[in-house]
Amino acid sequence: MNYHFQAHRQVRKNLLDILQNTSHEDLILIPDGFNNNIYWNIAHTVATQQLLHYYLSGNPFRIDKYWIETYKKGTLPNLNVQKSEVEDLEFLLTETSKILMKDYDSDFFSDYTPYTTSFGMDLKSIQDAIIFNNMHETLHYGYVMAQKRAILGEKY
C-alpha cells in the first residue's frame, strides 16, 4: 500500500499547490460550462475521502462534519468562502492524508461495509477504498486544472 499512500500524498500536494497559488476570486468563480468551482472540487476530495474511508468502515470522521455536509456529492459550491476556510482546507489536505496512513498502519479499519460507487466500482475493503479514492481525487484534480484554464481564458 506504500505506493498508494505516496500517490495520495502527491495528488494532495498538487491540489494544495493550486489552492495556495490561485487567487481567492478565482477559487470561488464558477467558470462557464461548469457547475462548481476550484474550491468546491478541492474541498470535495477531503469530504469524500472521509466518507469512503471512515464512514464505510464504521469509524468517526477525522474532520468536522461541516466539511462533509458542505462538500459531499450532490452539494452546491459555496460562493461565500472566507479566507480562513481556505487556510483550514490547506491544513486538512495535508493532515487527513497523514492521519489516514497512521490509521491504516494501526489497523483502525478492521471492518468495511461494501459499497458500489457511482463510477461503477465495487469497494469491498479499505484497500479498495484507498485505491479508488486516489482515482477519484485525480479526477477532481483534472477538473480543477480545466477550470483554471477556463478562468484564464475568461480573463483575456
Side-chain angles (χ1 to χ4, degrees), residues 82-147:
Q82 302 302 309
K83 290 188 182 198
S84 61
E85 187 176 325
V86 175
E87 292 168 1
D88 290 344
L89 182 56
E90 291 173 3
F91 175 80
L92 290 175
L93 276 171
T94 303
E95 289 305 306
T96 54
S97 187
K98 290 178 187 175
I99 292 167
L100 173 64
M101 287 175 38
K102 288 178 185 172
D103 287 343
Y104 182 83
D105 288 341
S106 67
D107 293 325
F108 192 67
F109 304 104
S110 56
D111 292 323
Y112 196 83
T113 303
Y115 176 73
T116 301
T117 69
S118 59
F119 194 78
M121 297 293 297
D122 291 326
L123 308 181
K124 297 177 182 171
S125 67
I126 188 61
Q127 292 84 1
D128 291 349
I130 290 167
I131 293 166
F132 175 78
N133 184 67
N134 284 350
M135 186 171 73
H136 175 260
E137 291 192 13
T138 302
L139 174 86
H140 283 279
Y141 176 62
Y143 271 107
V144 164
M145 291 190 307
Q147 288 175 323

Side-chain angles (χ1 to χ4, degrees), residues 25-48:
E25 175 188 3
D26 287 351
L27 286 174
I28 60 174
L29 176 69
I30 300 174
D32 288 341
F34 293 89
N35 62 1
N36 53 42
N37 54 32
I38 292 170
Y39 186 83
W40 183 91
N41 274 284
I42 295 173
H44 172 73
T45 64
V46 172
T48 301

